[in-house]
Amino acid sequence: MKRAVSALWARRAVRQAYLYTPTAATATSSSPEFGASTSEAWDGRFRLHKPRGQHLLTNPRVLDAIARHAAISPGDAVLEVGPGTGNLTARLLASQAARVTAVEIDPRMVEAVTARAAALGLAHKFKVIAGDAVEVEFPEFDVCVANIPYGISSPLIAKLLFGPYRFRTATLLLQKEFARRLVAAPGDGEYNRLAANVRLVADVRLLMDVSKRDFVPMPRVDSSLVEIRPRGTVPGVDVSEWLAFTRVCFGQKNKTLAAIFKQKRMVVELLRRSLRTERCAGGVSLGPLEVDDSGEDDCGGNDDGSNRVVGFSEEEVAAFKEKVAGALDTAELAGKRPSKVSNDELKRLLRLFNDRGVRFQ
Ligand code: SAH
């Protein structure tokens, strides 16, 4: 059924196709070694969908540079996200990689890139998974290389770094502003939750900027190539607790940590989470608890719903508020804004919270 719908969508898209005529700025010479008639210059076979981020990279020099920066070693398994018509794929296939797997959402592109690999005589080391890169399970890979649709940059990076995958590097072409935020340090104007989370588990560096003129059709923004290198182990922090913690801190990143954590709504929510965490872990008995209005209890407690938490006495809330304030004072971070605090300081604060029974998950 799903397949039929995709095929219908693809046929309709082809019917509506217009011929894209390259302008002087976007026309590029093709590199015959990467597929003669199926070269990187866009021939307007079908309509490109901007909402799907379909901006093909057509400058051979930039494509070559990305493949070089990817530093593929002999025998590597390469993962590419959003191969499009295969301009980058052709270079990855021509590298020393043992195999290249691409994940592509558009059936027309799946067909195009499959044909491209065949035309290059490299189909034996190529596989394409038709689907949404955010949803599908990736095969094992050593390096990820991609000019990705910018709309999925955040969820894709989160999936790569916080999913079950072990890989050496991800070399990604990203929207320039997004790339600047990703490599930002605490105190920089662009520093945000994503940067803090990525820094926890990986080293990130900017490799080069790429002009919007190198794409067809031309997007509104320039791009930057970024290398993300996972560090392997993350000492001294529970990653899911960290992710929940930074969500709270950076939710209001222009307030001081004291202002964020003294809000009654926040204190009550943390108290609720902390009690639930203790209960899920088989901790202390909490006595009767009221039903919360979300109707959800993700640790799967009693059938009668008696383990749901929502209302607390003023005393309970006040005592918990003291614990929260105590952790902030001990960390000497009360007056600081989250976007100016290093990950080491945030890690220490999280430990102080957890030691006092304040949980974020
Ligand atoms: N890498 C190619 C194409 C880039 S355009 C090049 O550099 O020329 C982005 C590609 O990603 C398109 O082919 C688009 O169909 C695909 N795409 C968009 N959203 C996707 C998703 N969620 N999962 C996988 N592919 C996606």
Side-chain angles (χ1 to χ4, degrees):
M1 180 63 189
K2 222 173 174 181
R3 238 202 180 136
V5 171
S6 311
L8 200 71
W9 178 68
R11 274 204 299 279
R12 193 177 311 138
V14 172
R15 261 206 314 278
Q16 290 170 350
Y18 63 89
L19 263 189
Y20 180 81
T21 317
T23 61
T26 53
T28 53
S29 63
S30 59
S31 310
E33 71 269 31
F34 291 121
S37 64
T38 48
S39 66
E40 54 265 16
W42 176 236
D43 58 12
R45 266 166 285 165
F46 47 74
R47 190 188 182 109
L48 296 171
H49 293 292
K50 285 191 195 175
R52 280 228 189 269
Q54 291 181 343
H55 298 280
L56 306 180
L57 182 55
T58 54
N59 183 334
R61 281 186 310 280
V62 175
L63 287 157
D64 289 343
I66 296 177
R68 237 183 2 259
H69 277 298
I72 296 167
S73 302
D76 272 352
V78 176
L79 173 73
E80 187 188 3
V81 174
T85 52
N87 289 349
L88 188 53
T89 322
R91 270 96 182 154
L92 304 176
L93 285 168
S95 75
Q96 294 176 302
R99 58 181 192 279
V100 176
T101 304
V103 181
E104 172 57 60
I105 203 166
D106 183 341
R108 303 167 311 160
M109 296 296 190
V110 169
E111 206 177 296
V113 72
T114 305
R116 184 87 173 263
L120 291 166
L122 293 168
H124 59 280
K125 58 191 259 189
F126 184 60
K127 185 177 161 200
V128 59
I129 299 173
D132 183 338
V134 178
E135 305 286 335
V136 303
E137 200 176 308
F138 295 146
E140 281 187 20
F141 61 96
D142 300 295
V143 296
C144 173
V145 189
N147 162 25
I148 58 173
Y150 298 149
I152 64 164
S153 304
S154 285
L156 184 72
I157 290 172
K159 175 174 177 172
L160 289 171
L161 289 178
F162 298 104
Y165 308 106
R166 295 283 156 267
F167 58 95
R168 215 166 58 236
T169 57
T171 307
L172 307 177
L173 194 58
L174 303 166
Q175 185 176 335
K176 191 171 176 180
E177 285 70 27
F178 183 94
R180 292 291 184 278
R181 285 201 293 275
L182 204 61
V183 300
D188 292 348
E190 304 102 325
Y191 193 64
N192 65 5
R193 176 163 67 99
L194 182 71
N197 289 343
V198 169
R199 264 170 182 259
L200 180 75
V201 294
D203 295 314
V204 187
R205 68 185 175 116
L206 216 52
L207 297 173
M208 63 178 191
D209 290 335
V210 177
S211 164
K212 58 187 170 198
R213 291 190 183 75
D214 293 327
F215 297 84
V216 170
M218 189 169 79
R220 269 180 309 202
V221 290
D222 291 319
S223 300
S224 300
L225 190 67
V226 162
E227 180 195 78
I228 302 176
R229 196 173 274 272
R231 257 183 255 114
T233 53
V234 188
V237 60
D238 171 341
V239 173
S240 22
E241 178 75 2
W242 168 273
L243 293 175
F245 170 62
T246 53
R247 182 177 287 277
V248 168
C249 293
F250 286 89
Q252 306 167 69
K253 72 172 192 158
N254 294 321
K255 286 191 175 175
T256 63
L257 287 160
I260 293 169
F261 284 105
K262 81 170 184 221
Q263 299 165 89
K264 184 156 184 198
R265 198 177 45 81
M266 174 68 76
V267 173
V268 170
E269 172 58 19
L270 285 179
L271 176 53
R272 193 181 68 80
R273 288 189 201 185
S274 303
L275 293 180
R276 191 182 56 190
T277 306
E278 263 186 71
R279 200 180 59 248
C280 291
V284 293
S285 163
L286 298 169
L289 302 166
E290 295 177 44
V291 175
D292 87 6
D293 55 12
S294 74
E296 284 173 21
D297 185 356
D298 50 22
C299 79
N302 302 334
D303 292 342
D304 64 0
S306 65
N307 56 357
R308 290 180 181 166
V309 186
V310 69
F312 304 100
S313 67
E314 287 298 320
E315 291 74 27
E316 273 178 299
V317 174
F320 194 73
K321 197 171 179 178
E322 292 263 298
K323 288 186 187 181
V324 171
L328 274 174
D329 286 343
T330 309
E332 296 178 0
L333 290 177
K336 288 209 178 174
R337 295 177 210 296
S339 55
K340 303 220 179 322
V341 177
S342 75
N343 270 2
D344 282 344
E345 287 173 300
L346 281 181
K347 266 199 247 176
R348 176 154 180 266
L349 176 60
L350 178 58
R351 261 198 309 277
L352 289 165
F353 275 138
N354 287 171
D355 290 348
R356 288 165 169 75
V358 181
R359 311 289 303 199
F360 289 82
Q361 272 191 84

